[in-house]
Amino acid sequence: MIRLAIVDDQQLFRESLSNLINSIPNTYVVQCFESAKNFQEFLLHEPAPDIVLLDLQMPEMNGMELNDFLHKKHPEIKVIILSVHDNERLISSLIRSGVDGYLTKNCDKQELLKAIHNVYDQGFYINKYTMQILQQKSLHKVSSYENINGIPFQLTKREIEVLQLICKEYSNSEIAAKLFLSIRTVEGHRNRLLQKIGCRNTAGLVLFAIKYQLHIDV
């Protein structure tokens, strides 16, 4: 059972989204919150949900600020942003800040369900439309790369192979089987990729791969 929370200052949207999610098998909404502050207070006394569906534009504390708080204090909570905006700069910034998925508020039920399960199972969700937006700003393939602070670094052939399989939504065990490695070795490669690139999560790895066109098949 996937446990979700909804943080959005629009009551009608919260209620509609909650009813929709509760109609999906194996998912349910723990609670809805009209503000980031209310959600923070909830986390002081109650078990954290698996995923929070988070609006960007809210009074007092916006979605980006709450995401930063969750990443520092509750890294176990996955964050999916729901927004009316879909520009490349915003999406890139959100993924770099540690969100695990991004949806526009006009998405359909099937995409919402896919996003929830992908984030829960694989750690990220980037749909084809978002990928196309990000690819418009992508660079040509190169042999050296820059991390989020602009510092050049190198990737080994094996690290690139692992990164490409992560982009194809392979789990650590599936990557290990495909590359004839141990799961611990794959986890080590994933952690080194996070450190080298300077990103916070799997979605950040995928964003980096798209930027440098490394998401193409091995």
Side-chain angles (χ1 to χ4, degrees):
M1 184 68 71
I2 304 174
R3 303 168 64 255
L4 297 105
I6 297 171
V7 183
D8 193 293
D9 62 339
Q10 297 179 352
Q11 181 176 351
L12 182 60
F13 181 80
R14 289 196 308 271
E15 293 177 353
S16 298
L17 183 59
S18 179
N19 290 335
L20 176 61
I21 290 172
N22 287 331
S23 72
I24 299 172
N26 301 319
T27 64
Y28 80 100
V29 175
V30 176
Q31 194 164 327
C32 296
F33 304 88
E34 64 180 6
S35 72
K37 295 289 186 182
N38 288 346
F39 184 49
Q40 286 179 318
E41 292 172 4
F42 171 85
L43 293 174
L44 292 174
H45 310 288
E46 301 292 339
D50 300 306
I51 298 172
V52 57
L53 300 175
L54 178 58
D55 186 25
L56 275 181
Q57 297 176 310
M58 294 183 293
E60 296 186 31
M61 176 183 286
N62 63 38
M64 293 187 74
E65 292 170 328
L66 178 58
N67 172 69
D68 191 54
F69 167 82
L70 293 175
H71 182 78
K72 293 175 181 176
K73 301 296 184 180
H74 296 275
E76 75 280 8
I77 301 177
K78 301 296 184 182
V79 176
I80 298 177
I81 293 291
L82 287 168
S83 175
V84 296
H85 304 290
D86 63 356
N87 66 81
E88 180 271 340
R89 181 175 295 180
L90 173 63
I91 296 171
S92 296
S93 176
L94 287 168
I95 294 175
R96 289 192 183 96
S97 71
V99 305
D100 304 289
Y102 184 90
L103 291 172
T104 58
K105 285 191 172 181
N106 65 350
C107 70
D108 59 26
K109 179 179 178 178
Q110 288 69 33
E111 184 175 18
L112 175 64
L113 176 60
K114 183 177 181 180
I116 289 171
H117 280 280
N118 278 33
V119 167
Y120 185 78
D121 294 330
Q122 308 298 339
F124 76 99
Y125 177 73
I126 299 177
N127 62 19
K128 290 182 179 179
Y129 176 68
T130 301
M131 189 171 290
Q132 289 171 354
I133 292 174
L134 298 174
Q135 284 175 325
Q136 292 173 4
K137 301 290 185 179
S138 66
L139 305 175
H140 295 296
K141 278 192 173 182
V142 293
S143 58
S144 63
Y145 314 95
E146 291 184 354
N147 66 16
I148 60 173
N149 297 313
I151 300 174
F153 67 93
Q154 300 287 327
L155 289 176
T156 67
K157 180 184 177 189
R158 181 64 83 192
E159 286 169 343
I160 292 174
E161 290 174 336
V162 170
L163 179 58
Q164 289 169 327
L165 292 173
I166 288 172
C167 292
K168 294 171 70 175
E169 302 180 13
Y170 281 58
S171 66
N172 284 350
S173 59
E174 291 169 334
I175 294 173
K178 187 171 181 64
L179 298 180
F180 304 102
L181 302 171
S182 70
I183 295 177
R184 178 169 293 183
T185 298
V186 173
E187 291 173 347
H189 283 305
R190 184 188 288 265
N191 289 334
R192 279 191 293 276
L193 284 167
L194 289 169
Q195 292 171 358
K196 283 186 174 183
I197 295 168
C199 55
R200 292 182 166 186
N201 56 11
T202 303
L205 295 179
V206 176
L207 176 65
F208 174 85
I210 293 171
K211 177 180 179 181
Y212 287 100
Q213 297 185 3
L214 291 173
H215 58 295
I216 302 169
D217 290 345
V218 178

